[in-house]
Amino acid sequence: MDGPLDAIVLAGGAGSRMGGVDKPGLAVAGRTLLERVTDAVRAHNADAEDPGRIIVVGPPREAPRALYVREDPPGSGPVAALRAGLPHVRTPWFALLAADLPHLDTTHLAALADAPEGDDEGAVFVDSTGREQWLTSVWRTDSLRAALADHRGRSLYGLLGPLGPRAVPLADDLAVADCDTPDDLARARRLLEPPTG
């Protein structure tokens, strides 16, 4: 696809498996998890005349710079978060991303953006087990608006699966390796931070 990608980044979860901490605000290699995701989007759009819009669904923060909105009620799940963010998307296609993807980079976003063909409504990364990773995906904005208008459930799979997105297999699972637990965070730091001593 041509042109920039707006992005909706879901950052409103409770972080319960991380002990209830502010998960998107945790740092890996000098940047918060949320900053790492938004930096990847900005780098992907760097050559476009329009830099795209980043919509973070979650509590407002001083950084990164983005448009912050909240789902209603807060913490009510990814479909409600998508419903809050989607009205602010301005580009024909947008990325739907989790806020805790420390390894996400421009090559991953380019692979997703380049995957849709013809009448495809979207593209989604599929991990090594064959499972769709809905929070690393791109979507045709108008198609998702129409689907969301008719959707009454809380299931992201129930909303996105029927759109039949193109599956994008991964060479490895790092792009979709999120940080749900302290062990996940420790692994990301081990891989991304230079050794000390």
Side-chain angles (χ1 to χ4, degrees):
M1 67 190 67
D2 296 325
L5 277 176
D6 281 1
I8 297 176
V9 183
L10 303 193
S16 55
R17 292 169 62 194
M18 194 70 80
V21 300
D22 173 27
K23 186 169 64 168
L26 295 171
V28 173
R31 291 179 289 159
T32 67
L33 292 171
L34 179 57
E35 286 171 330
R36 296 185 72 86
V37 172
T38 59
D39 285 351
V41 175
R42 287 197 173 91
H44 174 77
N45 291 333
D47 294 332
E49 288 185 19
D50 179 345
R53 173 181 278 183
I54 297 174
I55 302 114
V56 175
V57 186
R61 304 165 185 270
E62 291 186 8
R65 181 174 43 84
L67 172 64
Y68 289 87
V69 299
R70 291 307 309 263
E71 68 273 39
D72 184 25
S76 50
V79 172
L82 185 54
R83 202 177 292 280
L86 194 56
H88 303 283
V89 172
R90 300 175 301 182
T91 51
W93 290 80
F94 74 97
L96 176 61
L97 303 168
D100 61 345
L101 299 167
H103 304 280
L104 188 76
D105 63 27
T106 55
T107 62
H108 302 129
L109 290 172
L112 285 170
D114 292 342
E117 299 176 7
D119 294 332
D120 286 346
E121 309 290 5
V124 60
F125 275 145
V126 176
D127 67 19
S128 56
T129 70
R131 185 175 179 181
E132 296 96 343
Q133 299 295 311
W134 299 113
L135 297 184
T136 46
S137 57
V138 297
W139 300 94
R140 195 185 299 271
T141 305
D142 288 346
S143 297
L144 198 46
R145 283 192 173 127
L148 194 58
D150 294 333
H151 187 68
R152 296 293 172 263
R154 293 171 53 101
S155 163
L156 205 55
Y157 168 76
L159 170 65
L160 302 177
L163 294 176
R166 185 168 295 272
V168 182
L170 286 159
D172 63 63
D173 286 348
L174 275 181
V176 297
D178 55 10
C179 287
D180 281 336
T181 68
D183 285 346
D184 295 338
L185 182 65
R187 179 194 58 198
R189 287 173 171 164
R190 188 169 62 248
L191 292 171
L192 294 169
E193 294 177 356
T196 58

